[in-house]
Amino acid sequence: MGMLCAVSFNRYGRLYYLDPGEFSPQVGDRVLVPTDDGPEVAECVWAAQWVSEDTDGFPKVAGLADDRDLRRDELLRKRKAEAKVAAKKLIKAHELPMKVVAVDHVLEQGGTGGARTTIYFTAPHRVDFRSLVRDLGATLHCRVELRQLSARDSARVQGGIGSCGRDLCCATFLTDFEPVTIRMAKDQDLPLNPLRISGACGRLMCCLKYEHPLYQKFQASAPAVGSRVTTPEGDGRVVAHSVPKDAVVVRMDADGSRCSCSRASVCGPRQAHDEQYS
C-alpha cells in the first residue's frame, strides 16, 4: 500500500502514475517527472492519494516545478512548434508522402550533449528522407532524427475520442498492443462492417479483445445455436445466444414462442447433477 498521483504532459493526454514521495501535489500543480533526458514538467491531474496496490515500482516525483522549470518548459514547447512548422514546409518542398504526427525536442544540456529534435511521421511506405534530414538540421540548427510510426502508434501519440465517446485506450492506459483478429468480432456477433469495428487508427478496435475470453468461455459450455434443449418451460431449440446475460434464447416447440433461459438451466451436465442431488 502506498500513495500515487497521476500527471499528464499534454491536456487530455496520456496519464502517467507516479509516487509523490515527500511531495503532496494537488490538481493543477506543475511537477517534475524523471525521464531519460532529465526532469520534464507535467501537470498533476489526480492528486496524491492512498491506493491498495504496491507502489514500489513506480517512478517518484522529482519535485515541484519552479519558475525556472516553467520557463524551460515554455521554451521547449516553442522549439517543438517551430520544428513542426519547419518539418511540414520542407516535406512539402521535397514532395514526400509523409505526415508529421508529433515532435519531441531535447534542449541543449551543458556537458551532456547538444539539442536534439525527433520528428515522428506516418507514410504509406518506406521513404528516403536523407536529404530532408540534412535540410532540417540546417534549418533547426540541431541534430534531427526521423522515426516512422505505424497506424496504431500514430493514434496513441495523437490521442482522440473513440466511437464509445471516451478517450482512446491506446492514448490512456494501454501499454502494449495485443493482436486483434476478425474472429473476435465474429465470435461476438458484431457486424463485420469496417466502419463499425475499426478504431481511429483504421485497424480493428483494441477493445474487441476485452470481452473475447468471456465469449470463448460461454461458447465452450453453452449449447450451440440449432441444438435441441430442455428448459424449465419445456423442450425447444436454441436460436440465439445472449452472452452478457449468460443466457440462451430458445424457441419453444409447444407454441413457437421464444424465451430467455440461463445457460445453467439448459446445460445437460448441470441438469443431470441437479436430478441426482436435488
Side-chain angles (χ1 to χ4, degrees):
M1 186 171 181
M3 296 190 74
L4 285 180
C5 64
V7 303
S8 175
F9 291 97
N10 300 295
R11 186 173 295 274
Y12 308 119
R14 184 174 183 177
L15 298 182
Y16 295 87
Y17 296 92
L18 305 174
D19 181 349
E22 60 185 23
F23 305 99
S24 300
Q26 301 299 315
V27 174
D29 289 348
R30 302 284 181 160
V31 301
L32 297 177
V33 179
T35 68
D36 294 338
D37 298 312
E40 297 290 345
V41 177
E43 181 180 355
C44 179
V45 297
W46 178 31
Q49 58 182 273
W50 290 99
V51 296
S52 58
E53 291 81 5
D54 183 12
T55 60
D56 291 340
F58 288 87
K60 289 189 176 182
V61 172
L64 299 178
D66 55 21
D67 291 339
R68 185 180 62 179
D69 296 321
L70 295 178
R71 288 194 298 269
R72 180 177 179 275
D73 182 62
E74 183 178 356
L75 176 61
L76 184 64
R77 294 178 184 274
K78 181 180 178 181
R79 293 288 185 269
K80 289 181 179 180
E82 292 174 349
K84 191 171 186 178
V85 172
K88 288 184 176 180
K89 288 183 177 179
L90 288 174
I91 286 174
K92 185 176 181 180
H94 284 264
E95 298 182 349
L96 295 174
M98 301 166 57
K99 178 182 178 182
V100 177
V101 174
V103 176
D104 191 16
H105 184 78
V106 177
L107 295 174
E108 185 174 359
Q109 301 175 0
T112 60
R116 182 181 75 252
T117 298
T118 304
I119 298 175
Y120 301 91
F121 70 93
T122 58
H125 49 74
R126 293 181 62 89
V127 179
D128 183 2
F129 49 71
R130 288 174 292 184
S131 59
L132 174 63
V133 172
R134 289 194 296 269
D135 290 347
L136 280 171
T139 302
L140 301 176
H141 305 291
C142 65
R143 184 159 62 92
V144 177
E145 297 179 2
L146 269 70
R147 297 183 183 179
Q148 186 170 353
L149 299 179
S150 65
R152 286 188 169 182
D153 284 326
S154 175
R156 166 187 282 179
V157 171
Q158 296 182 92
I161 304 298
S163 58
C164 58
R166 301 173 64 94
D167 292 334
L168 296 180
C169 299
C170 58
T172 50
F173 63 89
L174 279 185
T175 56
D176 297 311
F177 291 125
E178 298 185 6
V180 182
T181 64
I182 196 68
R183 170 56 61 183
M184 296 179 182
K186 292 180 179 179
D187 291 344
Q188 298 175 50
D189 292 328
L190 296 175
L192 301 183
N193 183 345
L195 298 178
R196 298 286 298 277
I197 60 177
S198 297
C201 60
R203 304 293 189 269
L204 292 174
M205 293 188 297
C206 295
C207 56
L208 291 177
K209 191 174 180 65
Y210 297 167
E211 296 181 358
H212 189 242
L214 175 65
Y215 281 80
Q216 287 181 310
K217 182 179 179 181
F218 180 91
Q219 293 174 359
S221 57
V225 174
S227 60
R228 297 193 58 78
V229 294
T230 299
T231 72
E233 287 78 16
D235 294 339
R237 187 180 300 275
V238 177
V239 294
H241 290 161
S242 180
V243 180
K245 295 181 179 179
D246 195 26
V248 296
V249 179
V250 180
R251 184 173 61 238
M252 309 306 298
D253 292 341
D255 54 4
S257 62
R258 297 190 177 194
C259 69
S260 180
C261 307
S262 67
R263 176 170 55 91
S265 66
V266 296
C267 177
R270 176 62 179 269
Q271 291 175 339
H273 177 274
D274 292 344
E275 291 177 359
Q276 182 175 357
Y277 295 101
S278 60

